[in-house]
Amino acid sequence: MSEESRSLNFIEQIIEDGIKSGKNAGRVGTRFPPEPNGYLHIGHAKSICLNFGLAQKYGGTFNLRFDDTNPSKEETEYVDSIIEDVRWLGGDFGDRLFFASGYFQQMYDWAEEMIRKGKAYVCELSPDEIRETRGTPTVAGKDSPYRNRSPEENLALFRRMKAGEFPEGTKTLRAKIDMASPNFNLRDPIMYRIIKAPHHRTGDKWCIYPMYDWAHGLEDSIEQITHSICTLEFEDHRPLYDWYLQQLDGIFIPHQYEFARLNLTYTVMSKRKLLELVKGGYVNGWSDPRMPTICGLRRRGYTAESIRLFCKRIGVAKFYSTIDVVQLENAARDDLNKTAQRRMAVLRPLKVTIENYPDGKTEEFEAVNNPENVADGTRMVTFSKTVYIEQTDFMLDPPKKYYRLSPGREVRLRYAYYITCKEVITDASGNVTGLICTYDPESRGGTSPDGRKVQGTIHWVSADKAIEAEVRLYDRLFNKENPDDPQDTKDYKEYLNPESLEVLKGCKLEQSLKEATPATPIQFERIGYFRIDSVDSKPENIVFNRTVSLKDSWAK
Ligand code: ATP
Ligand code: MG
């Protein structure tokens, strides 16, 4: 089955059933509602692809809405990065950019409506007391002593809360639902609390802030969201989501649907932990190429297309699962295989002198840019008397099936000539520091002069023309499959992989790579996919990041 012809996911099924039954006159409105308290990660990408994809598929609308209801953890830096990442992923929200803080007045007016209807009250229990009187799954909670205040008294107190007359923690507005409900979320949940911190958009206009459950459905209603899609942890909140909306007169009623959040092996995804890795200096910022953040993946060389492909392949379901990170890497390989320009690069150079090649002579050979796409054309690579090959392409004493270079053995230098190893140069401690080879002038272009076959073809770079670069090889950030296993008593940071970054200096690249930019995906032939580092690469110190190796090196 092609990837396009897969059957509908459960949310598409709900939408199509709704269209048939005429719900919302067939209209579809979705949103992606991040809280601006961190950078987006690959889990958020799943949500963006889902929400945007549904709007696109059903001719609906897609909103980007910042759920900025908690001033203490939020920053504009996060807002800017989130906008950039959503756009980059292809989540086209057009001019449909919204902020929950833009609805604070409307939410406040609805809170007053709740009070007037006797559905909400100002409570003076401390946060601890509220927790203590909440009850247990088997024991009902205790009614607050403030539960039966009159609407007039509640209204007056709530207005004074808004006016900043009370210190933090002294009063809350609570919904009056049912302290004996089997669903904890319905045991008189808090709607507003006092926070005396400036907000990144509303400044110090407000000192009472709405709680997520109260705010979210109202935001969805205001924006006429038909399918409010969130992760499974919110399933138990849905009765509250519905209850709030049902109390208010004449508003649009959205519906909440839950799907399983993305979990990836060898990765942590909680924003709190990612922040801790950044703040603690365990990684070099949010865009460190080892991070599962969108900006980290982008810097590492992942394309938006590869992330969308990954999201499409993993699908959308209602049960928890953990996806093997290899699936993400494979999506990158599959996309980059089609788009990356092939180049030759030697990461750990070994100098080869071709003794019978004339001094000072150079030749140009035509090399294919991308065998997967002829339209990408060809380029010229320069050959000369001294070239570099990979140290791993030579062995002094090779095992039987080793087809690369060794004393007396002949190999093909891709696009150039057959060479034979005549002499090995070693240093005082016996390390191989160079090779003396001969070439067969009849094998020009790497073709056999007389039908004789060589088993190995290796890549190379001309010493005259090579450009030098630093190459950063990344491995998994954690060396445990599930670093934040709740059963584990050890801290997830104990499982940070000390070998997650290897920096190679003095790598030799073919000259055409001088023109590479962070926008160009490159395949170093036989090695992997690479990308210029958008932050650290400078003309005087070119830095490449490895996106992924050619094959999954962890596979058995
Ligand atoms: P927090 O712990 O701060 O609530 P969060 O990851 O839920 O973190 P939000 O900014 O609230 O962050 O998330 C925005 C949207 O992305 C929500 O709709 C949420 O359901 C979705 N989302 C978050 N993490 C994942 C994930 N791992 N997989 C799929 N969707 C996710
Ligand atoms: Mg959240």
Side-chain angles (χ1 to χ4, degrees), residues 399-423:
K400 252 205 171 119
K401 296 242 158 166
Y402 187 81
Y403 297 126
R404 291 166 270 165
L405 209 52
S406 56
R409 181 70 71 75
E410 186 172 51
V411 294
R412 177 191 291 111
L413 293 183
R414 184 147 159 88
Y415 300 121
Y417 287 109
Y418 284 16
I419 60 164
T420 303
C421 176
K422 295 291 179 190
E423 205 181 310

PDB file of all heavy atoms in Angstrom, residues 399-423:
ATOM      1  N   PRO A 399      41.903  -8.592   6.617  1.00  0.00           N
ATOM      2  CA  PRO A 399      41.252  -9.908   6.578  1.00  0.00           C
ATOM      3  C   PRO A 399      40.845 -10.231   5.140  1.00  0.00           C
ATOM      4  O   PRO A 399      40.889  -9.363   4.270  1.00  0.00           O
ATOM      5  CB  PRO A 399      40.022  -9.718   7.468  1.00  0.00           C
ATOM      6  CG  PRO A 399      39.746  -8.261   7.457  1.00  0.00           C
ATOM      7  CD  PRO A 399      41.056  -7.572   7.221  1.00  0.00           C
ATOM      8  N   LYS A 400      40.437 -11.452   4.925  1.00  0.00           N
ATOM      9  CA  LYS A 400      40.160 -11.939   3.567  1.00  0.00           C
ATOM     10  C   LYS A 400      39.217 -11.066   2.749  1.00  0.00           C
ATOM     11  O   LYS A 400      39.467 -10.754   1.612  1.00  0.00           O
ATOM     12  CB  LYS A 400      39.597 -13.354   3.667  1.00  0.00           C
ATOM     13  CG  LYS A 400      40.581 -14.405   3.198  1.00  0.00           C
ATOM     14  CD  LYS A 400      39.828 -15.654   2.738  1.00  0.00           C
ATOM     15  CE  LYS A 400      40.800 -16.619   2.061  1.00  0.00           C
ATOM     16  NZ  LYS A 400      40.877 -17.906   2.759  1.00  0.00           N
ATOM     17  N   LYS A 401      38.105 -10.684   3.370  1.00  0.00           N
ATOM     18  CA  LYS A 401      37.066 -10.008   2.593  1.00  0.00           C
ATOM     19  C   LYS A 401      37.230  -8.495   2.541  1.00  0.00           C
ATOM     20  O   LYS A 401      36.283  -7.770   2.272  1.00  0.00           O
ATOM     21  CB  LYS A 401      35.687 -10.360   3.170  1.00  0.00           C
ATOM     22  CG  LYS A 401      35.344 -11.826   3.044  1.00  0.00           C
ATOM     23  CD  LYS A 401      34.107 -12.019   2.186  1.00  0.00           C
ATOM     24  CE  LYS A 401      34.090 -13.420   1.623  1.00  0.00           C
ATOM     25  NZ  LYS A 401      32.814 -13.818   1.068  1.00  0.00           N
ATOM     26  N   TYR A 402      38.405  -8.016   2.817  1.00  0.00           N
ATOM     27  CA  TYR A 402      38.636  -6.577   2.794  1.00  0.00           C
ATOM     28  C   TYR A 402      39.013  -6.186   1.367  1.00  0.00           C
ATOM     29  O   TYR A 402      40.032  -6.635   0.834  1.00  0.00           O
ATOM     30  CB  TYR A 402      39.760  -6.233   3.771  1.00  0.00           C
ATOM     31  CG  TYR A 402      39.992  -4.751   3.970  1.00  0.00           C
ATOM     32  CD1 TYR A 402      39.195  -4.011   4.832  1.00  0.00           C
ATOM     33  CD2 TYR A 402      41.028  -4.105   3.296  1.00  0.00           C
ATOM     34  CE1 TYR A 402      39.420  -2.662   5.021  1.00  0.00           C
ATOM     35  CE2 TYR A 402      41.257  -2.756   3.474  1.00  0.00           C
ATOM     36  CZ  TYR A 402      40.454  -2.036   4.335  1.00  0.00           C
ATOM     37  OH  TYR A 402      40.679  -0.697   4.526  1.00  0.00           O
ATOM     38  N   TYR A 403      38.172  -5.367   0.730  1.00  0.00           N
ATOM     39  CA  TYR A 403      38.392  -5.066  -0.683  1.00  0.00           C
ATOM     40  C   TYR A 403      38.978  -3.681  -0.931  1.00  0.00           C
ATOM     41  O   TYR A 403      39.052  -3.229  -2.047  1.00  0.00           O
ATOM     42  CB  TYR A 403      37.075  -5.210  -1.457  1.00  0.00           C
ATOM     43  CG  TYR A 403      36.554  -6.627  -1.425  1.00  0.00           C
ATOM     44  CD1 TYR A 403      35.268  -6.905  -0.987  1.00  0.00           C
ATOM     45  CD2 TYR A 403      37.379  -7.684  -1.834  1.00  0.00           C
ATOM     46  CE1 TYR A 403      34.803  -8.210  -0.949  1.00  0.00           C
ATOM     47  CE2 TYR A 403      36.922  -8.988  -1.791  1.00  0.00           C
ATOM     48  CZ  TYR A 403      35.633  -9.252  -1.352  1.00  0.00           C
ATOM     49  OH  TYR A 403      35.192 -10.536  -1.318  1.00  0.00           O
ATOM     50  N   ARG A 404      39.323  -3.004   0.142  1.00  0.00           N
ATOM     51  CA  ARG A 404      39.873  -1.669  -0.059  1.00  0.00           C
ATOM     52  C   ARG A 404      41.383  -1.758  -0.187  1.00  0.00           C
ATOM     53  O   ARG A 404      41.905  -2.793  -0.564  1.00  0.00           O
ATOM     54  CB  ARG A 404      39.391  -0.764   1.070  1.00  0.00           C
ATOM     55  CG  ARG A 404      37.887  -0.501   0.942  1.00  0.00           C
ATOM     56  CD  ARG A 404      37.279   0.083   2.179  1.00  0.00           C
ATOM     57  NE  ARG A 404      36.795  -0.958   3.087  1.00  0.00           N
ATOM     58  CZ  ARG A 404      36.476  -0.734   4.358  1.00  0.00           C
ATOM     59  NH1 ARG A 404      36.613   0.481   4.880  1.00  0.00           N
ATOM     60  NH2 ARG A 404      36.035  -1.705   5.116  1.00  0.00           N
ATOM     61  N   LEU A 405      42.090  -0.680   0.145  1.00  0.00           N
ATOM     62  CA  LEU A 405      43.523  -0.667  -0.144  1.00  0.00           C
ATOM     63  C   LEU A 405      44.338  -1.382   0.930  1.00  0.00           C
ATOM     64  O   LEU A 405      44.050  -1.262   2.124  1.00  0.00           O
ATOM     65  CB  LEU A 405      43.968   0.794  -0.257  1.00  0.00           C
ATOM     66  CG  LEU A 405      45.149   1.124  -1.174  1.00  0.00           C
ATOM     67  CD1 LEU A 405      44.949   0.556  -2.573  1.00  0.00           C
ATOM     68  CD2 LEU A 405      45.361   2.628  -1.229  1.00  0.00           C
ATOM     69  N   SER A 406      45.368  -2.106   0.470  1.00  0.00           N
ATOM     70  CA  SER A 406      46.335  -2.716   1.380  1.00  0.00           C
ATOM     71  C   SER A 406      47.610  -2.931   0.553  1.00  0.00           C
ATOM     72  O   SER A 406      47.582  -2.795  -0.676  1.00  0.00           O
ATOM     73  CB  SER A 406      45.791  -4.023   1.966  1.00  0.00           C
ATOM     74  OG  SER A 406      45.432  -4.896   0.923  1.00  0.00           O
ATOM     75  N   PRO A 407      48.722  -3.254   1.194  1.00  0.00           N
ATOM     76  CA  PRO A 407      49.979  -3.372   0.439  1.00  0.00           C
ATOM     77  C   PRO A 407      49.831  -4.299  -0.764  1.00  0.00           C
ATOM     78  O   PRO A 407      49.345  -5.427  -0.634  1.00  0.00           O
ATOM     79  CB  PRO A 407      50.956  -3.935   1.476  1.00  0.00           C
ATOM     80  CG  PRO A 407      50.427  -3.439   2.785  1.00  0.00           C
ATOM     81  CD  PRO A 407      48.946  -3.476   2.645  1.00  0.00           C
ATOM     82  N   GLY A 408      50.203  -3.780  -1.944  1.00  0.00           N
ATOM     83  CA  GLY A 408      50.148  -4.581  -3.172  1.00  0.00           C
ATOM     84  C   GLY A 408      48.777  -4.638  -3.821  1.00  0.00           C
ATOM     85  O   GLY A 408      48.627  -5.105  -4.947  1.00  0.00           O
ATOM     86  N   ARG A 409      47.751  -4.162  -3.137  1.00  0.00           N
ATOM     87  CA  ARG A 409      46.362  -4.273  -3.640  1.00  0.00           C
ATOM     88  C   ARG A 409      45.994  -3.076  -4.518  1.00  0.00           C
ATOM     89  O   ARG A 409      46.487  -1.975  -4.325  1.00  0.00           O
ATOM     90  CB  ARG A 409      45.453  -4.365  -2.411  1.00  0.00           C
ATOM     91  CG  ARG A 409      43.979  -4.506  -2.617  1.00  0.00           C
ATOM     92  CD  ARG A 409      43.528  -5.833  -3.183  1.00  0.00           C
ATOM     93  NE  ARG A 409      43.603  -7.010  -2.306  1.00  0.00           N
ATOM     94  CZ  ARG A 409      42.783  -7.281  -1.300  1.00  0.00           C
ATOM     95  NH1 ARG A 409      41.843  -6.460  -0.957  1.00  0.00           N
ATOM     96  NH2 ARG A 409      42.926  -8.390  -0.616  1.00  0.00           N
ATOM     97  N   GLU A 410      45.118  -3.317  -5.498  1.00  0.00           N
ATOM     98  CA  GLU A 410      44.655  -2.258  -6.402  1.00  0.00           C
ATOM     99  C   GLU A 410      43.201  -1.890  -6.094  1.00  0.00           C
ATOM    100  O   GLU A 410      42.379  -2.787  -5.859  1.00  0.00           O
ATOM    101  CB  GLU A 410      44.769  -2.740  -7.849  1.00  0.00           C
ATOM    102  CG  GLU A 410      44.441  -1.675  -8.886  1.00  0.00           C
ATOM    103  CD  GLU A 410      44.755  -2.139 -10.311  1.00  0.00           C
ATOM    104  OE1 GLU A 410      44.303  -3.238 -10.697  1.00  0.00           O
ATOM    105  OE2 GLU A 410      45.441  -1.384 -11.040  1.00  0.00           O
ATOM    106  N   VAL A 411      42.882  -0.598  -6.077  1.00  0.00           N
ATOM    107  CA  VAL A 411      41.480  -0.150  -5.927  1.00  0.00           C
ATOM    108  C   VAL A 411      41.203   0.959  -6.934  1.00  0.00           C
ATOM    109  O   VAL A 411      42.127   1.536  -7.518  1.00  0.00           O
ATOM    110  CB  VAL A 411      41.158   0.429  -4.520  1.00  0.00           C
ATOM    111  CG1 VAL A 411      41.238  -0.624  -3.438  1.00  0.00           C
ATOM    112  CG2 VAL A 411      42.018   1.634  -4.205  1.00  0.00           C
ATOM    113  N   ARG A 412      39.923   1.269  -7.085  1.00  0.00           N
ATOM    114  CA  ARG A 412      39.524   2.379  -7.951  1.00  0.00           C
ATOM    115  C   ARG A 412      39.306   3.627  -7.084  1.00  0.00           C
ATOM    116  O   ARG A 412      38.609   3.561  -6.064  1.00  0.00           O
ATOM    117  CB  ARG A 412      38.229   2.035  -8.675  1.00  0.00           C
ATOM    118  CG  ARG A 412      37.701   3.181  -9.548  1.00  0.00           C
ATOM    119  CD  ARG A 412      36.280   2.943 -10.048  1.00  0.00           C
ATOM    120  NE  ARG A 412      36.221   1.867 -11.017  1.00  0.00           N
ATOM    121  CZ  ARG A 412      35.648   0.681 -10.794  1.00  0.00           C
ATOM    122  NH1 ARG A 412      35.084   0.414  -9.628  1.00  0.00           N
ATOM    123  NH2 ARG A 412      35.611  -0.235 -11.730  1.00  0.00           N
ATOM    124  N   LEU A 413      39.928   4.731  -7.496  1.00  0.00           N
ATOM    125  CA  LEU A 413      39.563   6.015  -6.896  1.00  0.00           C
ATOM    126  C   LEU A 413      38.380   6.512  -7.718  1.00  0.00           C
ATOM    127  O   LEU A 413      38.489   6.697  -8.933  1.00  0.00           O
ATOM    128  CB  LEU A 413      40.722   7.017  -6.987  1.00  0.00           C
ATOM    129  CG  LEU A 413      41.978   6.714  -6.156  1.00  0.00           C
ATOM    130  CD1 LEU A 413      42.986   7.840  -6.319  1.00  0.00           C
ATOM    131  CD2 LEU A 413      41.630   6.536  -4.676  1.00  0.00           C
ATOM    132  N   ARG A 414      37.269   6.680  -7.077  1.00  0.00           N
ATOM    133  CA  ARG A 414      36.030   6.995  -7.791  1.00  0.00           C
ATOM    134  C   ARG A 414      36.219   8.128  -8.799  1.00  0.00           C
ATOM    135  O   ARG A 414      36.821   9.153  -8.482  1.00  0.00           O
ATOM    136  CB  ARG A 414      34.979   7.408  -6.754  1.00  0.00           C
ATOM    137  CG  ARG A 414      33.601   7.670  -7.329  1.00  0.00           C
ATOM    138  CD  ARG A 414      32.582   7.268  -6.298  1.00  0.00           C
ATOM    139  NE  ARG A 414      31.266   7.869  -6.476  1.00  0.00           N
ATOM    140  CZ  ARG A 414      30.324   7.319  -7.235  1.00  0.00           C
ATOM    141  NH1 ARG A 414      30.564   6.199  -7.908  1.00  0.00           N
ATOM    142  NH2 ARG A 414      29.142   7.890  -7.308  1.00  0.00           N
ATOM    143  N   TYR A 415      35.734   7.921  -9.991  1.00  0.00           N
ATOM    144  CA  TYR A 415      35.790   8.874 -11.111  1.00  0.00           C
ATOM    145  C   TYR A 415      37.192   9.087 -11.676  1.00  0.00           C
ATOM    146  O   TYR A 415      37.350   9.770 -12.679  1.00  0.00           O
ATOM    147  CB  TYR A 415      35.247  10.272 -10.721  1.00  0.00           C
ATOM    148  CG  TYR A 415      33.818  10.289 -10.270  1.00  0.00           C
ATOM    149  CD1 TYR A 415      33.477  10.747  -9.000  1.00  0.00           C
ATOM    150  CD2 TYR A 415      32.798   9.861 -11.129  1.00  0.00           C
ATOM    151  CE1 TYR A 415      32.164  10.775  -8.590  1.00  0.00           C
ATOM    152  CE2 TYR A 415      31.476   9.889 -10.714  1.00  0.00           C
ATOM    153  CZ  TYR A 415      31.165  10.338  -9.439  1.00  0.00           C
ATOM    154  OH  TYR A 415      29.860  10.369  -9.026  1.00  0.00           O
ATOM    155  N   ALA A 416      38.257   8.550 -11.031  1.00  0.00           N
ATOM    156  CA  ALA A 416      39.603   8.958 -11.433  1.00  0.00           C
ATOM    157  C   ALA A 416      40.411   7.806 -12.047  1.00  0.00           C
ATOM    158  O   ALA A 416      40.323   7.584 -13.261  1.00  0.00           O
ATOM    159  CB  ALA A 416      40.328   9.567 -10.247  1.00  0.00           C
ATOM    160  N   TYR A 417      41.133   7.075 -11.260  1.00  0.00           N
ATOM    161  CA  TYR A 417      42.048   6.047 -11.775  1.00  0.00           C
ATOM    162  C   TYR A 417      42.087   4.850 -10.845  1.00  0.00           C
ATOM    163  O   TYR A 417      41.713   4.937  -9.684  1.00  0.00           O
ATOM    164  CB  TYR A 417      43.472   6.612 -11.851  1.00  0.00           C
ATOM    165  CG  TYR A 417      43.725   7.594 -12.955  1.00  0.00           C
ATOM    166  CD1 TYR A 417      43.923   8.945 -12.658  1.00  0.00           C
ATOM    167  CD2 TYR A 417      43.780   7.179 -14.284  1.00  0.00           C
ATOM    168  CE1 TYR A 417      44.184   9.862 -13.671  1.00  0.00           C
ATOM    169  CE2 TYR A 417      44.029   8.097 -15.303  1.00  0.00           C
ATOM    170  CZ  TYR A 417      44.231   9.436 -15.000  1.00  0.00           C
ATOM    171  OH  TYR A 417      44.473  10.328 -15.990  1.00  0.00           O
ATOM    172  N   TYR A 418      42.638   3.752 -11.366  1.00  0.00           N
ATOM    173  CA  TYR A 418      42.994   2.625 -10.519  1.00  0.00           C
ATOM    174  C   TYR A 418      44.354   2.957  -9.891  1.00  0.00           C
ATOM    175  O   TYR A 418      45.244   3.443 -10.600  1.00  0.00           O
ATOM    176  CB  TYR A 418      43.203   1.357 -11.362  1.00  0.00           C
ATOM    177  CG  TYR A 418      41.958   0.686 -11.870  1.00  0.00           C
ATOM    178  CD1 TYR A 418      40.733   1.338 -11.887  1.00  0.00           C
ATOM    179  CD2 TYR A 418      42.028  -0.622 -12.358  1.00  0.00           C
ATOM    180  CE1 TYR A 418      39.612   0.691 -12.380  1.00  0.00           C
ATOM    181  CE2 TYR A 418      40.904  -1.267 -12.841  1.00  0.00           C
ATOM    182  CZ  TYR A 418      39.698  -0.602 -12.860  1.00  0.00           C
ATOM    183  OH  TYR A 418      38.598  -1.236 -13.346  1.00  0.00           O
ATOM    184  N   ILE A 419      44.490   2.685  -8.615  1.00  0.00           N
ATOM    185  CA  ILE A 419      45.812   2.856  -8.001  1.00  0.00           C
ATOM    186  C   ILE A 419      46.212   1.572  -7.270  1.00  0.00           C
ATOM    187  O   ILE A 419      45.351   0.823  -6.801  1.00  0.00           O
ATOM    188  CB  ILE A 419      45.872   4.058  -7.015  1.00  0.00           C
ATOM    189  CG1 ILE A 419      44.867   3.891  -5.869  1.00  0.00           C
ATOM    190  CG2 ILE A 419      45.654   5.381  -7.734  1.00  0.00           C
ATOM    191  CD1 ILE A 419      45.127   4.799  -4.682  1.00  0.00           C
ATOM    192  N   THR A 420      47.512   1.365  -7.151  1.00  0.00           N
ATOM    193  CA  THR A 420      48.038   0.183  -6.454  1.00  0.00           C
ATOM    194  C   THR A 420      48.989   0.655  -5.361  1.00  0.00           C
ATOM    195  O   THR A 420      49.806   1.542  -5.597  1.00  0.00           O
ATOM    196  CB  THR A 420      48.807  -0.724  -7.439  1.00  0.00           C
ATOM    197  OG1 THR A 420      47.916  -1.064  -8.502  1.00  0.00           O
ATOM    198  CG2 THR A 420      49.289  -2.007  -6.756  1.00  0.00           C
ATOM    199  N   CYS A 421      48.873   0.066  -4.208  1.00  0.00           N
ATOM    200  CA  CYS A 421      49.696   0.475  -3.070  1.00  0.00           C
ATOM    201  C   CYS A 421      51.075  -0.187  -3.154  1.00  0.00           C
ATOM    202  O   CYS A 421      51.192  -1.411  -3.152  1.00  0.00           O
ATOM    203  CB  CYS A 421      49.000   0.105  -1.769  1.00  0.00           C
ATOM    204  SG  CYS A 421      50.018   0.489  -0.338  1.00  0.00           S
ATOM    205  N   LYS A 422      52.107   0.641  -3.220  1.00  0.00           N
ATOM    206  CA  LYS A 422      53.469   0.132  -3.368  1.00  0.00           C
ATOM    207  C   LYS A 422      54.267   0.163  -2.072  1.00  0.00           C
ATOM    208  O   LYS A 422      55.136  -0.665  -1.852  1.00  0.00           O
ATOM    209  CB  LYS A 422      54.220   0.985  -4.412  1.00  0.00           C
ATOM    210  CG  LYS A 422      53.651   0.874  -5.806  1.00  0.00           C
ATOM    211  CD  LYS A 422      53.903  -0.511  -6.393  1.00  0.00           C
ATOM    212  CE  LYS A 422      53.322  -0.639  -7.790  1.00  0.00           C
ATOM    213  NZ  LYS A 422      53.343  -2.014  -8.293  1.00  0.00           N
ATOM    214  N   GLU A 423      53.990   1.149  -1.268  1.00  0.00           N
ATOM    215  CA  GLU A 423      54.851   1.367  -0.099  1.00  0.00           C
ATOM    216  C   GLU A 423      54.040   2.032   1.015  1.00  0.00           C
ATOM    217  O   GLU A 423      53.176   2.866   0.744  1.00  0.00           O
ATOM    218  CB  GLU A 423      55.977   2.311  -0.517  1.00  0.00           C
ATOM    219  CG  GLU A 423      57.251   2.190   0.310  1.00  0.00           C
ATOM    220  CD  GLU A 423      58.277   3.192  -0.190  1.00  0.00           C
ATOM    221  OE1 GLU A 423      58.519   3.242  -1.432  1.00  0.00           O
ATOM    222  OE2 GLU A 423      58.809   3.944   0.652  1.00  0.00           O
TER     223      GLU A 423
END
